[in-house]
Amino acid sequence: MKSVPLRVLGPAVAVVAIAAAVPLAQRATVSGAGGPSTPPASASAPAAAPAPAPPVAEAPQSAASAVPIATAPAPAAPAPCEPEPAIEVHAPEISSTAELQRLLRERPAELGSASLGSPTRGSLFGGVELKDSDGIQRAGGYGWGTEMVIRSIERAVRQVRRCHPGSPPLYVGDISRERGGWLKPHRSHQSGLDADIGYYYRTQASWYQHATSENLDAARTWALVRALVEGGNVEMIFMDVSVQRLVKAHIDALPPGEQPPEDPFASATNKDALIRHAWGHATHFHVRFRDPAAVALGKRLADILPRFRGVRRAPQRAVPVAPKAAVKAPRPKAPVKAPRPKR
């Protein structure tokens, strides 16, 4: 077989390549109708490989599925309400008895409050009066106590109103007389450390209203008790056991992080708990406060004052005493004559 020179084969190969490329270009144009046309192959380029089939068009997605859905984070649990700042009461440092006597005579107001004796047999020196405000409605006729007691009640009410917006005014009953001492009909309330405080109600409130499951606002009442305890100045609370059950049911329903670390209610195994039962306290609860500074000052004053309220009592005017009627001296009896001798 004769060999064909390369210069003769070159044009023949080119003709064959062009003839093969024309049908391929026509098929690409038909299959890609509506899309960009495939440019024709160059005469000098080698035969092009068949074009890959276009991808199968997917079904159109809906607008909702086309847009990626961002998962919203779960709402965080509401943080517990922060307590009010602690109460700070200025207590002067008096080293000597002579200085105490001088302040007692010249500037008794600088001594502050003093609780003398005991709650059932005592008196009050330098007491502070609880005033009516947007959150407090005075119900008792005697609202005097040590400064620590009054400021503790005001602090607790402020915290309730901040943590529970829309809270109605709270009724507060008797605390002590201005100078303490016996206060009818109470057995205590004599030294400025006891206070009768009302409950919060879901209905229209009034003083000395019996608390029941239908009207008691257990959430606000517990917030008030908790605020008083958080102040660090409560010794004990007297509350009727029927109201204790309602408040305790509310506490048990709270999240674990908002429940008190210890059970504050007295029981058969824990009679010295903070909240104790006392008859007659279904209409209000009784708070016995502690005020170490006022008690310490009271002990020093008790050693100086002749009586608990000797300094605080206004000088009394002497009551004129009517002179007694002159008593006549008894008339002397006539001397008895000796009998005459008989003759």
Side-chain angles (χ1 to χ4, degrees), residues 5-233:
L6 293 177
R7 62 177 180 272
V8 177
L9 291 176
V13 171
V15 172
V16 172
I18 293 173
V22 170
L24 291 175
Q26 291 177 350
R27 286 197 301 270
T29 302
V30 173
S31 62
S37 58
T38 303
S42 171
S44 60
V56 179
E58 298 181 357
Q61 297 180 347
S62 62
S65 60
V67 178
I69 300 175
T71 305
C81 188
E82 294 295 328
E84 287 282 310
I87 299 297
E88 295 182 2
V89 176
H90 172 68
E93 297 181 0
I94 305 172
S95 57
S96 64
T97 303
E99 183 181 1
L100 179 61
Q101 291 176 341
R102 181 181 61 82
L103 290 175
L104 192 61
R105 290 191 307 266
E106 300 175 1
R107 299 188 300 273
E110 295 184 8
L111 294 175
S113 301
S115 177
L116 292 83
S118 67
T120 57
R121 188 178 178 85
S123 63
L124 176 64
F125 177 89
V128 177
E129 186 179 15
L130 181 68
K131 302 291 186 180
D132 288 338
S133 64
D134 293 339
I136 295 176
Q137 179 67 46
R138 283 273 305 277
Y142 302 94
W144 298 82
T146 67
E147 185 178 0
M148 178 67 75
V149 169
I150 302 304
R151 302 297 174 245
S152 297
I153 297 174
E154 294 172 341
R155 172 192 175 276
V157 172
R158 283 198 307 270
Q159 181 168 323
V160 173
R161 292 175 64 84
R162 177 171 55 82
C163 298
H164 297 268
S167 297
L170 176 72
Y171 284 98
V172 178
D174 286 334
I175 302 176
S176 287
R177 293 178 181 271
E178 183 178 0
R179 299 182 181 89
W182 183 70
L183 180 60
K184 185 180 180 180
H186 310 283
R187 289 187 299 174
S188 58
H189 291 265
Q190 295 194 24
S191 59
L193 298 178
D194 297 88
D196 287 341
I197 301 177
Y199 298 113
Y200 280 103
Y201 299 91
R202 297 196 299 266
T203 58
Q204 183 65 34
S206 61
W207 173 243
Y208 231 69
Q209 181 177 355
H210 196 285
T212 64
S213 58
E214 288 76 21
N215 61 15
L216 179 69
D217 191 334
R220 284 184 169 89
T221 297
W222 168 242
L224 175 65
V225 173
R226 183 180 61 186
L228 289 168
V229 174
E230 288 175 349
N233 305 311

Side-chain angles (χ1 to χ4, degrees), residues 1 11 15 32 37 75 126 138 164 195 223 234 237 255 270 280-281 297 301:
M1 181 176 179
V15 172
S37 58
R138 283 273 305 277
H164 297 268
V234 173
I237 295 175
N270 185 17
H281 291 83
L297 180 60
L301 291 179

Side-chain angles (χ1 to χ4, degrees), residues 270-282:
N270 185 17
K271 297 182 179 180
D272 296 332
L274 184 67
I275 304 176
R276 309 173 187 181
H277 167 71
W279 294 109
H281 291 83

